Amino acid sequence: MHNLMIQQIESIIEDEKNIIANLANISALINMNFENINWVGFYFYENSQLILGPFQGNVACTRLYPGKGVCMKAMETRTVQNIADVHTFKGHVVCDSASMSELVIPLVINDEPYGVLDIDSPVKNRFSEKDQKAFEEIGHIIERMISESTKKGKSE
């Protein structure tokens, strides 16, 4: 399933250069094809904050602030955060009380923080190592797409 999802994402972004349109479709694709998730989307890094971008799921936190939450930890440390139980994560920001586990992939363009891909699940221990590796690869695909789009002057 992971390989098919990766192929579909590559197909979606192949001929479309608009970043927002691509991220919206990527979040929809993940939401449709990945079981036991209740939120998937993107946050953009701006002025030391993460600001809500395209997503699928319930209403979300609009801004995430420095030093707080799983998404900010991923962005600030530039490391993937695979949290088995978000309620044990110090500083967890509750946007949806149904979320139990979370996988966050930082997106870095030209060594600068760009944002995160955030996936929440209502199930503890939802994200396996195999899931994490697949989403890391998806993150790299997204980073390349954004980098190529911004080089051509076709950004958000």
Side-chain angles (χ1 to χ4, degrees), residues 102-120:
E102 188 169 6
L103 179 63
V104 181
I105 309 297
L107 302 172
V108 179
I109 311 298
N110 300 321
D111 207 34
E112 293 293 324
Y114 186 85
V116 298
L117 166 57
D118 181 21
I119 309 162
D120 294 356

mmCIF file of all heavy atoms in Angstrom, residues 102-120:
data_model
loop_
_atom_site.group_PDB
_atom_site.id
_atom_site.type_symbol
_atom_site.label_atom_id
_atom_site.label_comp_id
_atom_site.label_asym_id
_atom_site.label_seq_id
_atom_site.Cartn_x
_atom_site.Cartn_y
_atom_site.Cartn_z
ATOM 1 N N GLU A 102 0.643 10.130 16.860
ATOM 2 C CA GLU A 102 0.925 11.165 15.862
ATOM 3 C C GLU A 102 2.265 10.883 15.185
ATOM 4 O O GLU A 102 3.217 10.447 15.831
ATOM 5 C CB GLU A 102 0.962 12.523 16.557
ATOM 6 C CG GLU A 102 1.064 13.712 15.654
ATOM 7 C CD GLU A 102 0.817 15.022 16.404
ATOM 8 O OE1 GLU A 102 0.683 15.034 17.651
ATOM 9 O OE2 GLU A 102 0.773 16.064 15.719
ATOM 10 N N LEU A 103 2.293 11.139 13.885
ATOM 11 C CA LEU A 103 3.520 11.043 13.097
ATOM 12 C C LEU A 103 3.719 12.385 12.400
ATOM 13 O O LEU A 103 2.820 12.847 11.694
ATOM 14 C CB LEU A 103 3.413 9.916 12.067
ATOM 15 C CG LEU A 103 4.601 9.703 11.145
ATOM 16 C CD1 LEU A 103 5.847 9.294 11.927
ATOM 17 C CD2 LEU A 103 4.278 8.647 10.090
ATOM 18 N N VAL A 104 4.874 13.004 12.640
ATOM 19 C CA VAL A 104 5.146 14.318 12.052
ATOM 20 C C VAL A 104 6.468 14.264 11.298
ATOM 21 O O VAL A 104 7.504 13.881 11.851
ATOM 22 C CB VAL A 104 5.199 15.424 13.125
ATOM 23 C CG1 VAL A 104 5.451 16.785 12.469
ATOM 24 C CG2 VAL A 104 3.907 15.457 13.931
ATOM 25 N N ILE A 105 6.413 14.664 10.030
ATOM 26 C CA ILE A 105 7.578 14.688 9.150
ATOM 27 C C ILE A 105 7.950 16.147 8.904
ATOM 28 O O ILE A 105 7.165 16.899 8.323
ATOM 29 C CB ILE A 105 7.274 14.003 7.793
ATOM 30 C CG1 ILE A 105 6.652 12.613 7.973
ATOM 31 C CG2 ILE A 105 8.507 13.979 6.911
ATOM 32 C CD1 ILE A 105 7.514 11.588 8.652
ATOM 33 N N PRO A 106 9.150 16.575 9.318
ATOM 34 C CA PRO A 106 9.559 17.960 9.035
ATOM 35 C C PRO A 106 9.891 18.117 7.551
ATOM 36 O O PRO A 106 10.421 17.199 6.920
ATOM 37 C CB PRO A 106 10.804 18.144 9.899
ATOM 38 C CG PRO A 106 11.361 16.771 10.050
ATOM 39 C CD PRO A 106 10.178 15.829 10.036
ATOM 40 N N LEU A 107 9.568 19.279 7.021
ATOM 41 C CA LEU A 107 9.881 19.611 5.629
ATOM 42 C C LEU A 107 10.885 20.754 5.643
ATOM 43 O O LEU A 107 10.602 21.819 6.192
ATOM 44 C CB LEU A 107 8.610 20.010 4.880
ATOM 45 C CG LEU A 107 7.495 18.965 4.870
ATOM 46 C CD1 LEU A 107 6.218 19.544 4.282
ATOM 47 C CD2 LEU A 107 7.929 17.701 4.134
ATOM 48 N N VAL A 108 12.042 20.499 5.045
ATOM 49 C CA VAL A 108 13.137 21.474 5.035
ATOM 50 C C VAL A 108 13.550 21.699 3.581
ATOM 51 O O VAL A 108 13.834 20.743 2.862
ATOM 52 C CB VAL A 108 14.329 20.964 5.876
ATOM 53 C CG1 VAL A 108 15.470 21.965 5.848
ATOM 54 C CG2 VAL A 108 13.894 20.683 7.317
ATOM 55 N N ILE A 109 13.562 22.957 3.161
ATOM 56 C CA ILE A 109 13.907 23.315 1.779
ATOM 57 C C ILE A 109 15.169 24.170 1.807
ATOM 58 O O ILE A 109 15.199 25.206 2.479
ATOM 59 C CB ILE A 109 12.766 24.106 1.090
ATOM 60 C CG1 ILE A 109 11.406 23.397 1.273
ATOM 61 C CG2 ILE A 109 13.091 24.356 -0.377
ATOM 62 C CD1 ILE A 109 11.293 22.022 0.669
ATOM 63 N N ASN A 110 16.194 23.762 1.081
ATOM 64 C CA ASN A 110 17.464 24.490 1.044
ATOM 65 C C ASN A 110 17.975 24.800 2.451
ATOM 66 O O ASN A 110 18.374 25.921 2.744
ATOM 67 C CB ASN A 110 17.338 25.770 0.218
ATOM 68 C CG ASN A 110 16.940 25.481 -1.214
ATOM 69 O OD1 ASN A 110 17.403 24.514 -1.810
ATOM 70 N ND2 ASN A 110 16.073 26.306 -1.761
ATOM 71 N N ASP A 111 17.911 23.809 3.304
ATOM 72 C CA ASP A 111 18.376 23.891 4.687
ATOM 73 C C ASP A 111 17.606 24.906 5.530
ATOM 74 O O ASP A 111 18.067 25.330 6.574
ATOM 75 C CB ASP A 111 19.886 24.166 4.741
ATOM 76 C CG ASP A 111 20.504 23.636 6.017
ATOM 77 O OD1 ASP A 111 20.052 22.586 6.518
ATOM 78 O OD2 ASP A 111 21.431 24.291 6.541
ATOM 79 N N GLU A 112 16.416 25.292 5.081
ATOM 80 C CA GLU A 112 15.561 26.213 5.829
ATOM 81 C C GLU A 112 14.255 25.503 6.198
ATOM 82 O O GLU A 112 13.692 24.782 5.374
ATOM 83 C CB GLU A 112 15.232 27.460 4.994
ATOM 84 C CG GLU A 112 16.415 28.352 4.710
ATOM 85 C CD GLU A 112 16.968 29.014 5.974
ATOM 86 O OE1 GLU A 112 16.180 29.369 6.862
ATOM 87 O OE2 GLU A 112 18.199 29.155 6.048
ATOM 88 N N PRO A 113 13.741 25.712 7.405
ATOM 89 C CA PRO A 113 12.472 25.082 7.783
ATOM 90 C C PRO A 113 11.334 25.590 6.904
ATOM 91 O O PRO A 113 11.214 26.784 6.672
ATOM 92 C CB PRO A 113 12.285 25.500 9.238
ATOM 93 C CG PRO A 113 13.165 26.678 9.444
ATOM 94 C CD PRO A 113 14.278 26.580 8.451
ATOM 95 N N TYR A 114 10.525 24.666 6.397
ATOM 96 C CA TYR A 114 9.400 25.029 5.542
ATOM 97 C C TYR A 114 8.066 24.718 6.211
ATOM 98 O O TYR A 114 7.110 25.457 6.100
ATOM 99 C CB TYR A 114 9.494 24.296 4.203
ATOM 100 C CG TYR A 114 8.441 24.731 3.222
ATOM 101 C CD1 TYR A 114 8.650 25.852 2.428
ATOM 102 C CD2 TYR A 114 7.238 24.058 3.104
ATOM 103 C CE1 TYR A 114 7.670 26.280 1.537
ATOM 104 C CE2 TYR A 114 6.252 24.472 2.228
ATOM 105 C CZ TYR A 114 6.473 25.581 1.446
ATOM 106 O OH TYR A 114 5.511 26.019 0.569
ATOM 107 N N GLY A 115 8.007 23.567 6.892
ATOM 108 C CA GLY A 115 6.761 23.158 7.530
ATOM 109 C C GLY A 115 6.802 21.700 7.908
ATOM 110 O O GLY A 115 7.871 21.093 7.976
ATOM 111 N N VAL A 116 5.618 21.144 8.133
ATOM 112 C CA VAL A 116 5.534 19.736 8.513
ATOM 113 C C VAL A 116 4.346 19.067 7.833
ATOM 114 O O VAL A 116 3.351 19.720 7.503
ATOM 115 C CB VAL A 116 5.389 19.543 10.039
ATOM 116 C CG1 VAL A 116 6.603 20.086 10.784
ATOM 117 C CG2 VAL A 116 4.109 20.134 10.586
ATOM 118 N N LEU A 117 4.484 17.761 7.646
ATOM 119 C CA LEU A 117 3.378 16.874 7.313
ATOM 120 C C LEU A 117 2.992 16.213 8.635
ATOM 121 O O LEU A 117 3.839 15.600 9.287
ATOM 122 C CB LEU A 117 3.818 15.819 6.293
ATOM 123 C CG LEU A 117 2.887 14.613 6.088
ATOM 124 C CD1 LEU A 117 1.483 15.025 5.689
ATOM 125 C CD2 LEU A 117 3.497 13.657 5.067
ATOM 126 N N ASP A 118 1.748 16.362 9.030
ATOM 127 C CA ASP A 118 1.269 15.889 10.330
ATOM 128 C C ASP A 118 0.148 14.875 10.105
ATOM 129 O O ASP A 118 -0.793 15.152 9.350
ATOM 130 C CB ASP A 118 0.756 17.098 11.128
ATOM 131 C CG ASP A 118 0.241 16.753 12.510
ATOM 132 O OD1 ASP A 118 0.616 15.690 13.047
ATOM 133 O OD2 ASP A 118 -0.532 17.568 13.059
ATOM 134 N N ILE A 119 0.258 13.713 10.756
ATOM 135 C CA ILE A 119 -0.759 12.672 10.638
ATOM 136 C C ILE A 119 -1.135 12.224 12.046
ATOM 137 O O ILE A 119 -0.268 11.829 12.821
ATOM 138 C CB ILE A 119 -0.250 11.467 9.819
ATOM 139 C CG1 ILE A 119 0.344 11.951 8.499
ATOM 140 C CG2 ILE A 119 -1.389 10.471 9.568
ATOM 141 C CD1 ILE A 119 1.239 10.948 7.828
ATOM 142 N N ASP A 120 -2.426 12.294 12.364
ATOM 143 C CA ASP A 120 -2.925 11.908 13.679
ATOM 144 C C ASP A 120 -3.787 10.657 13.565
ATOM 145 O O ASP A 120 -4.449 10.442 12.537
ATOM 146 C CB ASP A 120 -3.796 13.020 14.277
ATOM 147 C CG ASP A 120 -3.028 14.283 14.594
ATOM 148 O OD1 ASP A 120 -1.798 14.310 14.422
ATOM 149 O OD2 ASP A 120 -3.669 15.262 15.005
#
